Structures are given as C-alpha cells and as structure tokens.
C-alpha cells in the first residue's frame, strides 16, 4: 500500500524560531505540508477558534495533525490541546506535544488530556516517523 504523505498537512506551533525551523525541516524532509506559527493565539486564529465564543470557523486548508511546544508565553500547548479537544469540528485532529523538560506529571497530564504523543526536544527524525501512524488513523476516519 503506497502512502502519499504529501497530502498530509501539519500545523507546527513553537515560540522558538530555532525549534520551529527544525520541526519544519524534519516534516518537509518527510514530505509533509507544513504551516508554522509562533504562538497558541496564532494557531487558534489559523484554526478558526480565536473568538473564544465556542464557534468553529474551520479553516480553508485541512489540518491533519498539530504538533505544539508545551511551554510558550500566554497560553501553553496544553491549553491548545484542550481547545482542540473541546471543538466539535477539530477534536479528531491528533495533537502532539513537545517539550525540552522531562516532567512526568506534565507528560501524563497531556496524554490523559488527549495528546497522541509527547516528544522531548530536540525532536528527532525518528519522532517524525511516529507521526505517520496518527496521520493514517485520521485519514482512515475520513474515508
């Protein structure tokens, strides 16, 4: 079965330009389409959830997976995860959290909150390969 990963669109959220560029490079090397933003607020805007009134305005470009840093100014990656999982239109999008801090209670909270994976930074190519499983799950739900 041939899988065309170029059809998968990943939204990457990280306030660090270095980490954003690294994840973008790793994802593009694996033939994913990537949109990067530097804050949870911009991610919510891109996804159409920024009005905080619970109305979903689904974006023009379908997002198949969201990978987000945990620790960012204003709102955390966990806050983004909660908003995604509360959204009727977006709750099935897999969310992966990444952090440079290995804090078991944080990792457990994210996984229990619905995150598919928790990656420790720096993200490796082997981590990106794990994303394919989650992308394929969402693709099969759509069909």
């Amino acid at each position: 079965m041939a899988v065309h990963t170029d059809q998968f669109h990943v939204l990457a959220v990280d306030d660090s330009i270095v980490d954003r560029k690294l994840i973008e490079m790793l994802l593009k090397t694996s033939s994913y389409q990537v949109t990067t933003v530097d804050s949870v607020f911009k991610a919510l805007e891109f996804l159409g959830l920024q009005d905080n009134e619970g109305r979903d305005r689904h974006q023009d470009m379908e997002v198949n997976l969201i990978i987000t840093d945990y620790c960012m100014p204003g709102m955390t990656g966990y806050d983004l995860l909660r908003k995604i999982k509360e959204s009727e239109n977006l709750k099935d999008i897999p969310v992966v959290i990444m952090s440079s801090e290995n804090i078991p209670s944080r990792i457990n909270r994210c996984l229990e909150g619905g995150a598919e994976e928790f990656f420790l930074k720096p993200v490796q190519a082997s981590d990106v390969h794990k994303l394919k499983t989650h992308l394929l799950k969402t693709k099969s739900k759509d069909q």
Side-chain angles (χ1 to χ4, degrees):
M1 176 176 92
V3 176
H4 301 289
T5 54
D6 59 351
Q7 64 196 353
F8 295 123
H9 179 214
V10 179
L11 175 62
V13 187
D14 201 315
D15 60 318
S16 161
I17 190 162
V18 173
D19 289 329
R20 232 178 16 256
K21 291 294 183 191
L22 173 64
I23 193 73
E24 181 178 22
M25 182 198 66
L26 288 170
L27 290 166
K28 285 186 173 179
T29 299
S30 296
S31 301
Y32 296 115
Q33 183 179 353
V34 185
T35 298
T36 60
V37 293
D38 63 4
S39 71
V40 171
F41 298 108
K42 288 181 182 170
L44 292 172
E45 184 177 343
F46 182 82
L47 295 165
L49 293 174
Q50 80 283 7
D51 62 14
N52 292 327
E53 293 175 14
R55 292 176 298 176
D56 292 344
R57 179 187 52 77
H58 199 63
Q59 76 285 355
D60 295 334
M61 192 182 310
E62 181 184 6
V63 172
N64 303 106
L65 183 134
I66 299 164
I67 184 163
T68 179
D69 185 23
Y70 180 88
C71 193
M72 291 181 283
M75 292 178 80
T76 66
Y78 180 75
D79 296 326
L80 176 59
L81 171 67
R82 280 193 11 249
K83 294 235 181 235
I84 298 297
K85 297 307 174 186
E86 290 168 0
S87 164
E88 195 56 40
N89 291 335
L90 305 175
K91 66 182 179 188
D92 292 330
I93 298 175
V95 178
V96 173
I97 309 276
M98 52 188 175
S99 177
S100 56
E101 299 172 310
N102 187 358
I103 302 172
S105 60
R106 177 184 293 174
I107 295 168
N108 289 336
R109 184 170 78 146
C110 291
L111 294 173
E112 288 168 5
E116 301 291 332
E117 296 270 357
F118 194 103
F119 293 156
L120 289 175
K121 290 182 178 181
V123 175
Q124 308 286 323
S126 58
D127 294 325
V128 171
H129 294 305
K130 293 178 191 173
L131 300 178
K132 198 168 289 181
T133 306
H134 304 298
L135 289 164
L136 293 174
K137 274 194 282 188
T138 59
K139 212 55 169 172
S140 63
K141 282 182 189 173
D142 293 345
Q143 295 174 348

